[in-house]
Each structure stands twice: as structure tokens, then as C-alpha cells.
């Protein structure tokens, strides 16, 4: 048993991936230089210099960029706005990020889980679902790059096909992309936002994986007509977001620290991903299959007939934690019982190897 529990459960960066000293200096600097703005109420859409930088990167007018208190807060706003405007079922990938599934279930929304494979969401399944029902769907929620929980990415061909389908059906899409920049190899495919032009596709990301989750700074690139409603929702929820962390992120970028830090994070995570894939090969071999992500935080493990809820309980007692696959499907689907999400973001390569070996011994 390891001296301290090994966590494959936490979709969080290891403490050593967070540039604490540099962020502390940035905090000091922005508080002194821009304190009057940072410590006051201000626009619900967030700290203007950071919004401008994001608008530039996505080549959109700044009015379309709204900062959020992390991507999940933004999801709550988006779902509320979109469901009010266009009530209906919400389409998701199967599996999908568990927290939005919980948010939607809590609101009593019908969730339709669409199949995916190693190339991501199956566009034909989307087209069939949309043609098969006369009532309109509210929106599609998708994580096309290094998906949480599967680590899979939607191929370039499928991205183009998906955009054709959503145009044909006039289906709004929320593209959630917190991991896209955390790429270890391969060329980045275009975002759905870039392919579609941003009339139907709303794009969201955050600085949780590229700077630090504790800054709680996410953002949305919205269709022009949706931005005022979104901002109004922010104002009537928290008046204005905390500007200090947004200004810290901006200062970090202004100093030229964003790219070098990202490269360091990519290198650290690549080593962890490699350690996990190698250990799976050695210790699970033919008894399981798993995804091979080119970036992000997660590997998706399929254990054929095994019950991963039971395995998770026994693993926790033995000192290894992971989230069983069923958490990432709508509850009523009954799917995911033999799968597991393994996060390689939190542990060192040596502890990852130790944890996988332990898991394999409990299988
Ligand atoms: C797909 C996805 N979206 C959104 C988030 C929320 O991140 P944050 O609220 O830290 O921006 C996460 C966090 O793990 C995630 O995996």
C-alpha cells in the first residue's frame, strides 16, 4: 500500500505544475499598478485587457468575449440562457463531463447521450437523432479536444461533418475546450468555432489548465446577439467577477510567461501520460483497452466485463483512487459500468506506475 493514497480521480494539476512564485509577483504588481480598477465593481463581462487578448486570439470583436468564474460557472449560465430561449433536450457525448450532466439532471432536463468512438462523437448518430424527433433540441454540448473523461479528440473530418449537420438543423452548440492548448504532439485541428464562424457555436475555455485552477478565470466567445443576455446573467448573479485573479492572468500573459509556462506544463504532462500508457501496456496488456490521448489530462480505460464501481471501492482501500465510468453517463443509461477515468495530471510518473500496477493486481 502506498504511504499516501495515489489519485487518478482528480482532474486537477499537480501542485508543481502551478507557477506559484510568478503568480504571486503578478498579484503584487497588478494590485499596485491597477488597484483602483481591480478592487472596485466593474463590468460583468470581466477585466477588459484580458478580454481584449482573448478576442484577438480568436479574431472576434471584444463584445463577444465574456469572462466567467471558471468554465463550469459559464456552463450554468449558458444552459440557463439557451434552455430559456429554446426549451428542449440537451445532446451530449457518451461519456461526457460529469458536472454538466449533474447540472442538467438537477434542472430536470432530458439528456440524450450520443455514441462516440476513438475519433470522437459519431456525427451520423447526431444526424439520425435530429431527424428522428420532430421537437427541437436545445443545444449540443461537446468537448471535441482531449475530452473529459475519455481523452479522445474529434477528427478533422468529423468536425467538418458536424458543422454541416448543425447548420442543416440550426442546432446551437456549446464547444467546451479547456484542454486544447495542453497538446503533447500532433497538429491541432480547427475549433468548431473557427469552422462554423460563431453563429451557432459558442466556445468556452478557461485558464485552469494553462495557468492555474485557483484563478477561477474562464471565458466564453458568444454569438454577437447572445453576449448581452449572458453578461446580464453575470451581473444579476455576482454583480461583477473578481477582477484580481483576472488581472493576475493578464499580467502573467503581459510578461510573456503564458507560452513558456504552457510548454513546461505540456512537457510535465507528456511524461505522466507516457508513464501511464506504458504501465497500462505492461500491467493490463490484453485484459483491457484504453484511449491514447495526444494531450489533456485523461485516459479512458475499458475493462471488458469487470465492474469498475466495485473495483473503485477495493482500490480505494488499497490506496488508489479513480472515478468509475458510470459517473460520466446519464444515470438512466446504465452505461459505463466496466469503464474508468484515469487522470494522469496529479501524480508523478513514478507514482502513476505504482498506482497502475496496484490497480492491475486488484482486477
Ligand atoms: C470539460 C471541462 N469543462 C469545464 C471544466 C471546468 O473547469 P473550470 O471551471 O476550472 O474552468 C472542466 C474541469 O475539469 C472540464 O474538464
Amino acid at each position: 500500500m502506498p504511504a499516501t493514497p495515489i489519485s487518478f480521480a482528480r482532474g486537477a494539476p499537480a501542485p508543481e505544475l502551478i507557477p506559484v512564485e510568478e503568480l504571486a509577483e503578478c498579484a503584487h504588481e497588478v494590485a499596485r499598478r491597477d488597484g483602483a480598477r481591480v478592487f472596485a465593481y466593474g463590468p460583468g463581462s470581466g477585466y477588459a485587457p484580458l478580454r481584449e487578448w482573448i478576442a484577438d486570439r480568436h479574431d472576434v470583436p471584444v463584445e463577444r468575449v465574456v469572462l466567467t468564474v471558471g468554465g463550469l460557472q459559464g456552463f450554468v449560465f449558458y444552459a440557463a440562457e439557451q434552455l430559456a430561449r429554446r426549451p428542449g433536450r440537451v445532446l451530449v457525448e457518451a461519456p461526457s463531463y460529469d458536472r454538466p450532466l449533474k447540472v442538467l439532471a438537477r434542472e430536470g432536463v432530458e439528456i440524450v447521450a450520443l455514441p462516440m468512438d476513438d475519433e470522437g462523437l459519431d456525427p451520423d448518430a447526431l444526424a439520425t437523432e435530429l431527424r428522428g424527433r420532430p421537437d427541437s433540441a436545445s443545444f449540443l454540448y461537446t468537448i471535441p479536444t482531449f475530452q473529459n473523461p475519455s481523452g479522445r479528440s474529434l477528427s478533422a473530418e468529423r468536425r467538418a461533418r458536424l458543422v454541416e449537420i448543425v447548420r442543416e438543423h440550426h442546432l446551437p452548440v456549446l464547444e467546451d475546450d479547456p484542454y486544447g492548448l495542453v497538446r503533447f504532439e500532433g497538429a491541432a485541428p480547427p475549433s468548431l468555432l473557427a469552422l462554423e464562424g460563431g453563429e451557432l457555436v459558442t466556445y468556452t475555455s478557461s485558464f485552469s489548465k494553462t495557468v492555474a485552477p485557483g484563478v477561477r478565470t474562464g471565458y466564453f466567445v458568444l454569438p454577437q446577439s447572445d453576449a448581452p443576455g449572458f453578461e446580464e446573467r453575470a451581473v444579476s448573479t455576482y454583480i461583477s467577477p473578481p477582477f484580481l485573479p483576472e488581472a493576475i492572468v493578464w499580467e502573467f500573459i503581459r510578461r510573456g510567461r503564458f507560452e513558456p509556462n504552457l510548454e513546461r506544463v505540456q512537457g510535465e504532462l507528456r511524461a505522466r501520460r507516457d508513464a501511464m500508457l506504458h504501465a497500462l501496456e505492461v500491467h493490463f496488456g490484453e485484459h483491457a483497452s484504453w484511449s491514447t490521448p495526444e494531450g489533456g489530462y485523461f485516459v479512458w480505460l475499458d475493462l471488458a466485463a469487470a465492474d469498475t464501481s466495485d473495483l473503485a471501492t477495493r482500490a480505494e482501500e488499497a490506496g488508489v483512487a479513480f472515478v468509475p465510468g458510470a459517473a460520466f453517463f446519464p444515470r438512466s443509461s446504465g452505461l459505463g459500468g466496466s469503464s474508468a477515468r484515469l487522470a494522469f495530471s496529479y501524480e508523478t510518473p513514478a507514482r502513476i506506475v505504482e498506482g497502475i500496477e496496484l490497480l492491475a493486481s486488484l482486477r
Side-chain angles (χ1 to χ4, degrees), residues 11 70-72 97 141 143 148 176 178-179 206 208-209 216:
L72 187 64
Y97 179 31
Y141 171 62
I143 310 157
N148 181 1
D176 190 2
Y179 302 100
S206 86
S208 292
K209 314 306 192 274
R216 307 306 305 129

Side-chain angles (χ1 to χ4, degrees), residues 79 82-91 104 107-112 129 133 135-140 171:
Q82 192 52 41
L83 284 162
R85 195 167 30 223
R86 184 171 149 135
R89 64 200 187 281
V90 173
L91 312 179
L104 295 170
E107 299 302 319
V109 177
E110 182 191 354
I111 306 170
V112 176
E129 209 283 336
R133 280 182 64 169
D135 55 327
S136 62
S138 183
F139 66 96
L140 166 70
L171 177 71

Side-chain angles (χ1 to χ4, degrees), residues 86-360:
R86 184 171 149 135
R89 64 200 187 281
V90 173
L91 312 179
V92 301
E93 291 145 349
S96 186
Y97 179 31
D98 53 339
R99 291 186 204 276
L101 295 182
K102 282 189 193 134
V103 169
L104 295 170
R106 189 179 64 205
E107 299 302 319
V109 177
E110 182 191 354
I111 306 170
V112 176
L114 301 167
M116 69 188 307
D117 58 25
D118 278 345
E119 275 186 72
L121 175 67
D122 176 358
D124 292 334
L126 172 65
T128 306
E129 209 283 336
L130 291 169
R131 280 192 205 113
R133 280 182 64 169
D135 55 327
S136 62
S138 183
F139 66 96
L140 166 70
Y141 171 62
T142 178
I143 310 157
T145 310
F146 313 140
Q147 198 226 23
N148 181 1
S150 71
R152 295 165 179 151
S153 294
L154 190 65
S155 65
E157 295 73 31
R158 285 196 183 180
R159 284 172 196 245
R161 174 88 183 101
L162 192 95
V163 166
E164 272 174 28
I165 295 167
V166 301
R167 281 196 179 127
E168 186 188 331
H169 293 269
H170 209 76
L171 177 71
V173 177
L174 178 57
E175 175 178 24
D176 190 2
D177 188 28
Y179 302 100
L181 291 178
V182 189
R183 174 174 284 281
F184 316 146
E185 64 228 0
S191 64
L192 299 175
L193 173 74
L195 286 175
E196 192 273 335
E199 285 179 22
L200 290 164
V201 174
T202 294
Y203 178 93
T204 175
S205 185
S206 86
F207 294 94
S208 292
K209 314 306 192 274
T210 53
V211 178
V215 295
R216 307 306 305 129
T217 301
Y219 68 90
F220 271 62
V221 178
L222 293 146
Q224 190 89 34
S225 56
D226 293 359
F230 203 90
E231 184 173 348
E232 168 47 31
R233 211 167 264 278
V235 172
S236 56
T237 305
Y238 43 63
I239 306 180
S240 49
F243 294 115
L244 181 61
E246 294 178 356
I248 292 171
V249 172
W250 162 241
E251 177 62 17
F252 192 70
I253 291 167
R254 198 187 67 82
R255 290 179 175 205
R257 296 307 306 147
F258 185 78
E259 296 295 343
N261 180 65
L262 182 59
E263 274 174 36
R264 184 181 69 85
V265 167
Q266 287 162 339
E268 290 271 353
L269 286 169
R270 182 191 297 115
R272 289 159 204 250
R273 188 269 326 251
D274 288 348
M276 182 170 275
L277 293 181
H278 184 68
L280 285 168
E281 195 64 58
V282 171
H283 298 291
F284 279 88
E286 290 155 14
H287 302 288
S289 59
W290 53 87
S291 60
T292 50
E294 291 185 335
Y297 274 21
F298 306 109
V299 166
W300 185 247
L301 179 67
D302 273 309
L303 280 176
D307 171 354
T308 47
S309 287
D310 170 62
L311 178 64
T313 309
R314 288 185 291 116
E316 198 153 344
E317 282 160 12
V320 194
F322 68 88
V323 183
F328 304 99
F329 294 85
R331 230 189 229 167
S332 57
S333 76
L335 294 168
S338 59
S339 306
R341 186 190 76 173
L342 304 179
F344 51 79
S345 54
Y346 196 71
E347 300 288 358
T348 60
R351 278 170 57 87
I352 287 174
V353 172
E354 187 184 349
I356 295 293
E357 188 174 356
L358 227 163
L359 264 191

Side-chain angles (χ1 to χ4, degrees), residues 55-67:
D56 261 11
R57 275 177 82 94
H58 288 282
D59 197 18
V60 296
V62 70
E63 299 75 47
R64 288 179 55 194
V65 177
V66 175
L67 302 186

